[in-house]
Amino acid sequence: MELRDIEIFLTLAEELHFGRTADRLRVSSARVSQVIKKQERRIGTTLFERTSRRVLLTPAGRRLQQELSVGYRQIMDGIQSVAAEAAGVNGVLTLGAMGPQPWMIPDLLDLFRSRHPAVEVRHREIQATAPLAEVKAGEVDAALVWLPVREPGITVGPVTHSSPVMLMVGAGHPLAGRETVCWEDLGDCTVLTGTDVPVSMEETFHPRRTPSGRPVARGPVASSWHEQITLVAEGSIVCGVAADAARFYPWPGIVYLPIRDAPPAQWTWVWLTARQTPLIRALSQATRDAQRSDQDRLTP
């Protein structure tokens, strides 16, 4: 079976639509159909159930997808790795991230390193209180931050992962005894502010108003994660955080409460548009491929 035929089969197994498969691979629908029929004759069984309304994998098709997908990805990763080295993907890539976020994407980082062994990856801590500062200053090549980011001169890459949103409160705060809270509860609270958080990004964790329209009071300005925890532990201030904080920072005097109506925070790479390099393009491609692999694992 030729590599192109394997690609056609795996793409159809993912799309379950001959037209979309043809468009994605830039071939004709007839070519897709011809390849699948050829594979079915060679294997001796039907791989797809076809009706006028839908396309489904047969048990044999699902088994073939499982057997081929791992090997195909290894082959393509090897090809991309060699091609990247030939294209000059080497040097140092400095990534900025907050606290535990790199531990949320180990597969992505492992994939990037395996494809680009000539690249030295360095990590630098950035603060949620000024999430874009190091990117704007050119101190990191790309930063892992939460969405939405709508800043001129900054490019937003593909989503890496998502995190539930929680409310960090002091053990003596009136909300501390709750099992969960909602956005409306922020109307009775005072939230922390950062030194330089864009308004669009601030809304993810600290909306300006509650769902009923009540204003959410702003309190002290924090310049670091340590200051955030310290101010919250004093008891009167609250702070929205990614749920990963509850796992990595279980401090005495701090309580983490799920916000039941908060959508998950989406995380992504961002970089200066004027400083996009082959290294950053390679990072973006690894991110997309890692996400696709995760989706494949979740697909029954």
Side-chain angles (χ1 to χ4, degrees), residues 38-117:
K38 176 183 174 181
Q39 292 172 348
E40 289 176 332
R41 286 196 301 270
R42 179 176 181 177
I43 295 172
T45 188
T46 302
L47 301 175
F48 294 91
E49 294 179 1
R50 310 165 179 82
T51 70
S52 59
R53 301 183 62 182
R54 63 180 184 175
V55 177
L56 295 174
L57 280 165
T58 65
R62 284 194 295 272
R63 174 66 184 277
L64 185 62
Q65 180 188 31
Q66 294 169 357
E67 295 289 342
L68 292 180
S69 59
V70 174
Y72 177 78
R73 278 198 295 269
Q74 289 176 339
I75 292 171
M76 296 308 296
D77 285 348
I79 292 172
Q80 290 179 16
S81 178
V82 173
E85 287 187 28
V89 179
N90 53 56
V92 177
L93 179 66
T94 303
L95 302 177
M98 305 163 203
Q101 292 310 315
W103 280 270
M104 301 297 102
I105 53 170
D107 292 345
L108 189 166
L109 295 175
D110 287 346
L111 177 60
F112 178 83
R113 289 190 182 97
S114 68
R115 286 182 176 178
H116 311 293

Side-chain angles (χ1 to χ4, degrees), residues 117-135:
V119 175
E120 179 186 352
V121 178
R122 296 178 182 172
H123 293 278
R124 176 165 177 169
E125 178 81 7
I126 63 176
Q127 298 294 332
T129 52
L132 303 179
E134 283 77 9
V135 170

Side-chain angles (χ1 to χ4, degrees), residues 27-46:
V27 299
S28 66
S29 296
R31 168 67 172 153
V32 175
S33 181
Q34 179 185 25
V35 167
I36 298 304
K37 289 178 180 178
K38 176 183 174 181
Q39 292 172 348
E40 289 176 332
R41 286 196 301 270
R42 179 176 181 177
I43 295 172
T45 188
T46 302

Side-chain angles (χ1 to χ4, degrees), residues 78-228:
I79 292 172
Q80 290 179 16
S81 178
V82 173
E85 287 187 28
V89 179
N90 53 56
V92 177
L93 179 66
T94 303
L95 302 177
M98 305 163 203
Q101 292 310 315
W103 280 270
M104 301 297 102
I105 53 170
D107 292 345
L108 189 166
L109 295 175
D110 287 346
L111 177 60
F112 178 83
R113 289 190 182 97
S114 68
R115 286 182 176 178
H116 311 293
V119 175
E120 179 186 352
V121 178
R122 296 178 182 172
H123 293 278
R124 176 165 177 169
E125 178 81 7
I126 63 176
Q127 298 294 332
T129 52
L132 303 179
E134 283 77 9
V135 170
K136 291 179 177 179
E139 296 175 0
V140 299
D141 297 306
L144 185 60
V145 301
W146 71 90
L147 290 170
V149 178
R150 305 188 186 101
E151 295 292 291
I154 290 183
T155 296
V156 177
V159 170
T160 59
H161 66 295
S162 63
S163 303
V165 175
M166 304 187 79
L167 191 66
M168 182 172 66
V169 305
H173 193 276
L175 295 177
R178 302 263 198 97
E179 292 186 2
T180 65
V181 293
C182 63
W183 280 138
E184 194 61 37
D185 291 320
L186 290 188
D188 302 316
C189 300
T190 299
V191 301
L192 283 174
T193 57
T195 55
D196 187 14
V197 182
V199 173
S200 62
M201 296 180 71
E202 187 180 22
E203 286 286 326
T204 299
F205 295 106
H206 297 144
R208 290 281 169 178
R209 293 186 176 275
T210 69
S212 70
R214 290 191 296 159
V216 177
R218 262 54 185 168
V221 176
S223 61
S224 69
W225 171 245
H226 185 268
E227 286 185 16
Q228 288 178 295

